[in-house]
Amino acid sequence: MARKTVTDDPLAPVTLAVGQEDLLLDRAVQEVVAAARAADADTDVRDLTPDALQPGTLAELTSPSLFAERKVVVVRNAQDLSADTVKDVKAYLGAPAEEITLVLLHAGGAKGKGLLDAARKAGAREVACPKMTKPADRLAFVRGEFRTLGRSATPEACQALVDAIGSDLRELASACAQLTADIEGVVDEAVVARYYTGRAEASSFTVADRAVEGRAAEALEALRWAMATGVAPVLITSALAQGVRSIGKLASAPRGARPGDLARELGMPPWKIDRVRQQMRGWSADGVAVALRAVAEADAGVKGGGDDPEYALEKAVVAVARAARSRR
């Protein structure tokens, strides 16, 4: 979820939304507009791109109105503003107009950093909208969506939804809203599977789960489905590596430790400890080493080291599934 600074009034004179996650940027704008229209239903909203904000335009938009109407001025991609327009914005930051809320959307980074620093120095309310590149961040996002919607979802359900939908936050948010609207009570893994079974079965993590459980035929079936639906080969090798490493970590952990303690030590959620514990029953230390080598070879193959990425993945899946039975 977007994180805010201490100044958290959506009607603050200036809101600065920083990041590259489109959904969170749009939500930052929507929050300000909703607050403004709650205060004045006739609020005028101007949503501008850099090419529409020429020198002098901001002064015109923020000049006092005869009817003292409330106004929201949204400036998208503020890092791309011309030097002359940046001067106008900086000048405005020093003396913002009453009844007007300026919303600056900035990608962050070095480009346009002078404007970013000026807005922060002026005390702008800031909303962080970072790109969510890590699976853990997307999992936290899904949990937050269900909380915001007033619905409970099990950890397994949240993980299954991320596995099924992927990295698109808009699709994840839409799925959370659909499940909340359609399902009464707690959203569990079975519900997610019922709604998103086709996509879930095509996910890279499903391929990995089946392989580390020693279910070679099902893993290959999931792999072919994943490839047919456009799942990137590197995501599959990454999921396989993660699955095998998790087994190696848990196998070397102290015996008898509680799931909560193991979760903290190994950096896994408690529910995943239980799942990996079930998956590791047929594994040996040699099997983990063999599987990791097979996955590394497949990873090199799909990144340009081989002629047939699909064949490289099939070899890795079979090798992992065999390794999963190395103690039997």
Side-chain angles (χ1 to χ4, degrees), residues 79-95:
Q79 73 279 356
D80 295 330
L81 292 172
S82 68
D84 288 338
T85 303
V86 167
K87 290 180 182 178
D88 287 351
V89 177
K90 287 182 177 179
Y92 178 82
L93 292 172

Side-chain angles (χ1 to χ4, degrees), residues 290-319:
V290 168
L292 286 175
R293 283 197 296 271
V295 174
E297 290 174 3
D299 191 56
V302 303
K303 291 178 178 177
D307 297 327
D308 189 343
E310 188 168 349
Y311 176 65
L313 287 171
E314 288 181 353
K315 281 183 61 179
V317 164
V318 170

Side-chain angles (χ1 to χ4, degrees), residues 37-127:
R37 286 185 168 155
D40 181 353
D42 295 325
T43 295
D44 181 21
V45 178
R46 303 295 180 92
D47 199 324
L48 306 170
T49 54
D51 59 333
L53 195 65
Q54 300 300 318
T57 304
L58 183 62
E60 180 182 341
L61 290 173
T62 58
S63 60
S65 168
L66 178 63
F67 301 102
E69 65 180 356
R70 182 176 290 278
K71 186 179 294 184
V72 175
V73 178
V74 180
V75 179
R76 297 184 182 271
N77 299 313
Q79 73 279 356
D80 295 330
L81 292 172
S82 68
D84 288 338
T85 303
V86 167
K87 290 180 182 178
D88 287 351
V89 177
K90 287 182 177 179
Y92 178 82
L93 292 172
E98 293 185 9
E99 300 298 314
I100 293 178
T101 300
L102 175 65
V103 184
L104 298 174
L105 274 56
H106 195 293
K111 187 176 183 181
K113 190 172 184 298
L115 178 57
L116 191 62
D117 292 341
R120 286 170 171 161
K121 187 175 180 180
R125 167 183 177 261
E126 185 168 342
V127 182

Side-chain angles (χ1 to χ4, degrees), residues 14-294:
V14 180
T15 285
L16 178 64
V18 184
Q20 299 179 43
E21 189 58 69
D22 290 340
L23 174 65
L24 300 184
L25 290 168
D26 286 345
R27 285 184 173 181
V29 173
Q30 291 163 8
E31 183 182 24
V32 172
V33 172
R37 286 185 168 155
D40 181 353
D42 295 325
T43 295
D44 181 21
V45 178
R46 303 295 180 92
D47 199 324
L48 306 170
T49 54
D51 59 333
L53 195 65
Q54 300 300 318
T57 304
L58 183 62
E60 180 182 341
L61 290 173
T62 58
S63 60
S65 168
L66 178 63
F67 301 102
E69 65 180 356
R70 182 176 290 278
K71 186 179 294 184
V72 175
V73 178
V74 180
V75 179
R76 297 184 182 271
N77 299 313
Q79 73 279 356
D80 295 330
L81 292 172
S82 68
D84 288 338
T85 303
V86 167
K87 290 180 182 178
D88 287 351
V89 177
K90 287 182 177 179
Y92 178 82
L93 292 172
E98 293 185 9
E99 300 298 314
I100 293 178
T101 300
L102 175 65
V103 184
L104 298 174
L105 274 56
H106 195 293
K111 187 176 183 181
K113 190 172 184 298
L115 178 57
L116 191 62
D117 292 341
R120 286 170 171 161
K121 187 175 180 180
R125 167 183 177 261
E126 185 168 342
V127 182
C129 306
K131 199 75 175 174
M132 294 190 182
T133 57
K134 297 179 180 178
D137 292 337
R138 295 192 286 273
L139 185 58
F141 172 80
V142 168
R143 291 195 190 108
E145 286 294 290
F146 281 120
R147 282 196 300 270
T148 299
L149 293 165
R151 184 59 56 83
S152 296
T154 66
E156 294 84 356
C158 293
Q159 183 65 59
L161 196 58
V162 172
D163 291 348
I165 301 297
S167 60
D168 191 310
L169 287 200
R170 290 188 190 278
E171 290 194 29
L172 285 169
S174 177
C176 291
Q178 180 183 19
L179 290 170
T180 300
D182 292 355
I183 302 300
E184 294 183 0
V186 177
V187 176
D188 60 20
E189 190 174 15
V191 168
V192 174
R194 187 164 73 247
Y195 271 70
Y196 299 101
T197 182
R199 299 180 69 162
E201 289 175 3
S203 77
S204 55
F205 288 102
T206 299
V207 177
D209 282 342
R210 300 296 176 269
V212 299
E213 290 163 4
R215 297 153 66 179
E218 293 176 42
L220 287 171
E221 182 181 357
L223 171 64
R224 288 162 190 148
W225 195 344
M227 297 294 288
T229 55
V231 176
V234 292
L235 294 180
I236 297 172
T237 55
S238 175
L240 285 168
Q242 183 177 324
V244 176
R245 288 194 194 104
S246 294
I247 286 168
K249 286 180 180 179
L250 190 56
S252 60
R255 292 186 178 275
R258 293 178 300 179
D261 296 333
L262 285 173
R264 286 188 291 274
E265 182 179 342
L266 303 180
M268 301 179 193
W271 66 265
K272 189 171 183 180
I273 295 290
D274 293 335
R275 174 178 288 182
V276 175
R277 187 170 275 153
Q278 293 174 356
Q279 292 174 335
M280 64 180 284
R281 290 172 181 165
W283 284 84
S284 66
D286 288 342
V288 171
V290 168
L292 286 175
R293 283 197 296 271

